[in-house]
Amino acid sequence: MNDRPATGSGLERPRTWSARVAAALGAIAAVTALAAACGGGSATARITAEAQYRGTHVASQRPPQCAPPGPSLPTVTATTITTTEQAYYCILANYYSGPVLHDQMLLIGAFAGFTQELDRLGVDQPDATMPRLTGNRDRDWAAFAAVYRRVISQVPDIAARRQALAAATINGIVASLDDNHARWDHLQWPPGFTRSDDYGLGITTSPIDTLTSDAPLEALPPLFVTEVDAGSPAARARIRPGDVILSVNGAPPFADGLVSPGVIDLLYAPYPQAGTVLMRLRRPATGHTWTASVTPAAYYAAVQAASARLVSGDIAYVKLPKFLPGAAEQVLHAISALGKAATLHGVILDLRGNSGGAPPEVARLLGAFVHRAAWSYDCDFRGTCTPNYTDDSVPLLHLPLVVLTDRDCASACDAFSGAVKDLHVGSLVGTRTSGIVTGPAMGFVLDDGSILSLPAEHELSANHETINAIGVAPDFYIPLTARDLSTGHDPDVAKALTLLGR
């Protein structure tokens, strides 16, 4: 962290096509002196240049090094084996453990993705066999590339098929890292798409798609809507938070107690694969059941700003959807404004659904409740950790704090919640956070216009514990249900008020 700009909005892991777009755009905007060109420096020096690629391939003949994004949207083109080679060396030079990574792990992941896609497309080849790997990074790449080129030459030359195979190969490499902040985005933009736009149905569901893909057993029925973006196709279809999704295109969201990834994919499909979906819905508040036909589209994305109000007369309730740049100041300004209308006796900070953001905002907001505290640590692969301290330039509020959390509280939200608990800043009410918080990632552009995002460090919480893949447990477990959302009843706020003496 260390106040560095990060891919997208910092510790965020995108969970929808729209969020992936936001992260990609954030990577483009986050170019600073800290975004040194991928592949440079001592990490590259550790990559040997002994290999022969078709007899002559040495380091100087590699494709251009991956680099931080420029100020404009990259032009996306076809992904090739050269792109995959860029990704391979980019990871070795820039990933958290790149200097000591075994290249075999990356290449086995790549070949697994490649051959699984061959099989899925019905074009598997008898000589699609993993080559012998020796541990020499350049020689192993040359061997892998030779087999890839030979096999791909026997596949019908259909652009979509070639792209699917290339994408599966790079995704296989990234998947081998088993890091929830490492990803590869080959995004296509809808016609007329701008930085102010979003795309999709415009809903967020519980469970969210990231959790269902990472830990399908933790998702419990029913599947219901938790958020609807203003101006989105879902909003125009009059879908509301709390609406239960009974089926999508006739398929139930759950089968034998397990969520269906196929159904989730239909709700969060990327452009241009997304298509119209028929959702059978039930509104718990009224019992009304109906079918809505919703087509994904681009729509204006309203800025996700903090909102605030007084509850119980003297408690500041602030909802923060994301730790975007300036978010801490928004929260502090909102509390100050409410303090002019009443003598405040506490703060309820609602972080449910907060998908993450910029580490400096976490440090600044924590600084309003505690000073001179290390709220997290960034650690390199050797185990050397650097503390991140609260922003002590922020005046202390001297108000009791209750933070509302849920399984959609991810990344920087995980980190903030962990710090609140470890530093005894306040109480957590709701459900366990997502545990999607390996570390901040920087974005690098490859030759096809795609963006490879890689964490350079991994994070520990204030007490030096790992919360990645685990999440932060609330002090008071009170899950929010579809009926709660539909009827406007909020048991988390009610519990918070009790804790604050109201």
Side-chain angles (χ1 to χ4, degrees):
M1 297 171 199
N2 301 321
D3 294 351
R4 77 187 62 189
T7 298
S9 49
L11 296 179
E12 170 187 2
R13 180 191 178 174
R15 58 195 182 213
T16 66
W17 189 93
S18 304
R20 289 173 61 196
V21 168
L25 295 178
I28 293 169
V31 178
T32 67
L34 289 170
C38 168
S42 59
T44 299
R46 286 189 287 269
I47 301 175
T48 62
E50 306 168 8
Q52 298 294 314
Y53 183 72
R54 293 192 172 183
T56 60
H57 185 67
V58 292
S60 62
Q61 295 171 302
R62 293 176 190 157
Q65 295 171 346
C66 59
S72 59
L73 296 178
T75 300
V76 178
T77 60
T79 305
T80 67
I81 185 62
T82 303
T83 313
T84 307
E85 183 177 9
Q86 274 190 312
Y88 172 76
Y89 283 110
C90 192
I91 289 170
L92 292 175
N94 294 277
Y95 180 58
Y96 158 74
S97 58
V100 295
L101 266 180
H102 292 293
D103 69 281
Q104 297 100 317
M105 179 186 77
L106 300 181
L107 295 177
I108 290 171
F111 209 73
F114 177 53
T115 53
Q116 288 167 17
E117 189 67 12
L118 283 171
D119 189 46
R120 190 187 73 82
L121 294 173
V123 292
D124 203 0
Q125 303 295 322
D127 57 349
T129 302
M130 187 73 193
R132 176 177 175 267
L133 302 178
T134 66
N136 180 291
R137 291 174 167 183
D138 293 330
R139 288 177 180 152
D140 286 348
W141 169 257
F144 171 87
V147 173
Y148 183 97
R149 292 176 186 273
R150 182 175 69 247
V151 173
I152 204 75
S153 69
Q154 302 171 51
V155 175
D157 189 6
I158 301 172
R161 186 170 291 178
R162 296 288 180 93
Q163 179 61 39
L165 287 165
T169 303
I170 295 184
N171 280 323
I173 293 178
V174 175
S176 72
L177 299 175
D178 191 25
D179 189 311
N180 54 45
H181 275 59
R183 68 182 181 277
W184 177 71
D185 291 315
H186 186 269
L187 298 174
Q188 298 184 51
W189 316 104
F193 190 86
T194 71
R195 292 175 182 270
S196 300
D197 290 338
D198 218 329
Y199 176 88
L201 300 179
I203 62 171
T204 303
T205 59
S206 180
I208 60 174
D209 64 316
T210 295
L211 291 181
T212 57
S213 61
D214 287 352
L217 294 180
E218 74 178 17
L220 298 174
L223 179 68
F224 60 93
V225 177
T226 57
E227 295 180 31
V228 179
D229 295 342
S232 67
R236 292 193 293 272
R238 299 183 179 180
I239 296 173
R240 300 176 185 172
D243 288 346
V244 175
I245 301 174
L246 302 175
S247 67
V248 179
N249 290 353
F254 285 83
D256 295 328
L258 299 179
V259 69
S260 166
V263 169
I264 299 296
D265 288 346
L266 288 172
L267 297 175
Y268 293 102
Y271 177 86
Q273 286 81 28
T276 299
V277 296
L278 291 176
M279 287 191 283
R280 189 69 178 163
L281 300 141
R282 177 174 56 81
R283 184 159 294 161
T286 63
H288 177 56
T289 301
W290 77 104
T291 299
S293 176
V294 190
T295 302
Y299 58 93
Y300 173 73
V303 177
Q304 293 181 300
S307 58
R309 67 178 190 272
L310 283 173
V311 293
S312 193
D314 58 2
I315 302 297
Y317 167 90
V318 185
K319 170 74 173 177
L320 183 64
K322 216 168 187 180
F323 282 95
L324 293 174
E329 208 57 45
Q330 289 179 13
V331 173
L332 298 175
H333 177 76
I335 294 172
S336 176
L338 293 174
K340 294 176 182 177
T343 300
L344 299 179
H345 285 84
V347 175
I348 299 173
L349 182 61
D350 190 347
L351 298 184
R352 294 171 298 185
N354 185 306
S355 59
E361 299 303 317
V362 175
R364 186 161 178 79
L365 189 52
L366 284 169
F369 297 95
V370 62
H371 281 179
R372 297 182 296 277
W375 62 273
S376 69
Y377 295 84
D378 290 334
C379 305
D380 64 21
F381 68 93
R382 299 180 184 88
T384 301
C385 298
T386 302
N388 299 296
Y389 289 97
T390 54
D391 186 342
D392 294 352
S393 69
V394 181
L396 291 170
L397 289 174
H398 298 292
L399 290 171
L401 172 69
V402 177
V403 178
L404 309 186
T405 63
D406 64 3
R407 288 300 272 171
D408 292 0
C409 169
S411 211
C413 187
D414 275 305
F416 183 91
S417 303
V420 167
K421 189 167 186 176
D422 284 355
L423 301 175
H424 307 288
V425 171
S427 299
L428 302 184
V429 173
T431 61
R432 184 180 292 270
T433 64
S434 70
I436 301 174
V437 60
T438 54
M442 288 299 302
F444 301 94
V445 175
L446 304 181
D447 68 350
D448 63 346
S450 63
I451 296 178
L452 181 65
S453 301
L454 301 170
E457 296 169 307
H458 279 178
E459 180 192 290
L460 295 177
S461 196
N463 284 346
H464 286 85
E465 82 274 24
T466 297
I467 59 176
N468 183 57
I470 298 169
V472 181
D475 298 299
F476 302 91
Y477 177 76
I478 305 175
L480 195 64
T481 68
R483 175 166 289 279
D484 292 331
L485 283 169
S486 187
T487 60
H489 172 63
D490 197 328
D492 294 359
V493 171
K495 180 62 178 180
L497 289 173
T498 300
L499 293 172
L500 294 171
R502 296 297 181 267

